[in-house]
Amino acid sequence: MPTLTPLSISDAAIHQINSLGGPPLPTGVSSSMLKVIMENRAASESPLSSCRVAVALATRNR
């Protein structure tokens, strides 16, 4: 039975993404690892939901 290997994003595609700016993405990683990296970066740039809840509660009391 053949085994499935994880797909990897080509280095050329990563270089094109990196040319757009922002923190550079590593080359030679699997697509699943790249997805985790992208999700972590997106999460680090978004405000925490608990902060939004606290702000909503604080502004409601005024």
Side-chain angles (χ1 to χ4, degrees):
M1 174 176 259
T3 59
L4 298 175
T5 57
L7 297 175
S8 63
I9 308 299
S10 71
D11 288 347
I14 298 295
H15 289 299
Q16 287 180 345
I17 293 169
N18 287 342
S19 71
L20 298 174
L25 296 172
T27 56
V29 296
S30 67
S31 59
S32 60
M33 181 61 73
L34 188 59
K35 181 179 177 183
V36 169
I37 292 169
M38 301 279 285
E39 287 175 352
N40 286 341
R41 286 188 183 169
S44 70
E45 294 174 357
S46 65
L48 298 174
S49 61
S50 59
C51 290
R52 288 184 284 186
V53 170
V55 168
L57 290 173
T59 56
R60 185 185 306 167
N61 290 337
R62 291 182 179 197

